[in-house]
Amino acid sequence: MGKLAFVTGITGQDGSYLAELLLEKDYEVHGLIRRASTFNTSRIDHLYHDIHKAGPKLYLHYGDLTDGQNLTNIILDLEPDEIYNLGAQSHVRVSFEQPGYTLQSTGYGALNVLEAARQLNKKKLTKVYQASSSEMYGDVKEFPQTEKTPFQPQSPYACAKAYAYYQTINYRKSYDLFAANGILFNHESPRRGETFVTRKITRAATRIKLGLQDKVYLGNLSAERDWGYAKDYVEGMWLMLQHHEPDDFVLATGESRSVQVFLEHVFKHLDLDPQSHVEIDPRYFRPAEVNRLLGDASKAESVLGWRPKTSFSELVTLMVDSDAELARQETVLIQHD
């Protein structure tokens, strides 16, 4: 019989790819979702169609990371072998506008998960993966960034993630809990939310190509990030919990490119001139900018055998082709109206 996994943030980009991976490995997967007036399960709806042919393996539970008692009740009831905490308020720019909520969901939410796991661990060994972020490095002076690079967080989101990171280590040392931090650098995909800059660019560019819009408004084009493919990175999450001891690992490609370069690759792929369609909007600049992030995943490669499989150009192509199809579907709907 396969293992049982509990995933917070299962309806997000990473959660949906992780759920796919775990189901392929014969896990029974349980996910935490927030109650909303509209359905927010679009990224995982296809899994129900696929898995119910062979019997249900995916279950969803209403709850919220900020509700510690409900979270504890679910975890103690399910007794999962593995817990993946991917849930958070994950938009850096938004965290400046909602710092309190960001701390509650991203920081204290992680603490709630760890405390529930600690209680479960008294009667059954469980393993916890905490989704940490390269944003914790902030205004770094050391390149590339490794597991030993000091954090200098420069946003409420990064501060909340740093809090969660250190609490994970605290629970590991204090309670002998198998708890691992994955310090993931930027990872993108066709399932990335449309408010994140990479997806915002691919979505807008494909709509511009078909005449559905004329401009895209962006912020700091000189910011450099280490971009990988989210589907590769969730495999790294899983590998961390299969290792014989808990530890902290950077997942990255080791290549850094600016938003400008990403933009140019996308528009070139579509044979468009970005200068004709891109406008800079000061509203999208952060109060404190992180200029460059570049990760060194050599520890993950040597210890876990993990390395990114998808190149930057392949990632761009995946995202553009997917959004081009969405744009074509929009065109068809408009023509039928």
Side-chain angles (χ1 to χ4, degrees), residues 178-191:
F178 192 113
N181 281 297
I183 308 172
L184 273 58
F185 281 66
N186 291 61
H187 44 290
E188 317 299 315
S189 76
R191 299 181 191 175

Side-chain angles (χ1 to χ4, degrees), residues 82-98:
E82 297 171 4
I83 300 171
Y84 296 85
N85 183 33
L86 312 183
Q89 190 300 101
S90 59
H91 198 286
V92 177
R93 183 64 185 83
V94 170
S95 77
F96 286 99
E97 299 175 14
Q98 293 187 301

Side-chain angles (χ1 to χ4, degrees), residues 109-119 128 164 167-168 171 177 179:
L111 180 62
N112 289 335
V113 171
L114 290 164
E115 181 58 20
R118 181 188 69 82
Q119 294 186 43
V128 179
Q167 285 288 15
T168 300
Y171 271 69
L177 180 68

Side-chain angles (χ1 to χ4, degrees), residues 130-143:
Q130 168 59 28
S132 293
S133 168
S134 60
E135 286 288 333
M136 299 186 302
Y137 293 117
D139 187 22
V140 293
K141 309 301 180 186
E142 175 183 307
F143 296 93

Side-chain angles (χ1 to χ4, degrees), residues 210-316:
L210 295 183
L212 295 170
Q213 71 181 71
D214 183 54
K215 299 283 186 180
V216 58
Y217 297 89
L218 302 171
N220 182 11
L221 299 185
S222 64
E224 295 182 29
R225 295 293 184 268
D226 184 329
W227 278 307
Y229 181 30
K231 193 170 184 178
D232 294 343
Y233 284 52
V234 299
E235 183 179 11
M237 299 176 187
W238 177 77
L239 286 170
M240 289 179 209
L241 295 197
Q242 312 317 305
H243 191 47
H244 63 273
E245 61 181 10
D247 205 346
D248 308 316
F249 296 91
V250 164
L251 298 187
T253 69
E255 299 177 354
S256 185
R257 294 177 175 84
S258 67
V259 176
Q260 178 73 43
V261 169
F262 186 93
L263 175 73
E264 290 171 353
H265 271 71
V266 170
F267 275 70
K268 182 179 180 181
H269 189 79
L270 294 166
D271 194 27
L272 290 171
D273 177 16
Q275 292 186 347
S276 303
H277 302 285
V278 177
E279 298 284 348
I280 302 301
D281 189 334
R283 292 178 299 173
Y284 295 118
F285 282 79
R286 301 180 187 178
E289 186 60 72
V290 175
N291 295 315
R292 186 185 181 212
L293 293 173
L294 173 65
D296 178 357
S298 56
K299 178 181 175 181
E301 181 174 354
S302 62
V303 176
L304 304 176
W306 180 88
R307 67 176 67 182
K309 301 173 183 175
T310 309
S311 70
F312 177 76
S313 60
E314 289 170 336
L315 173 62
V316 170

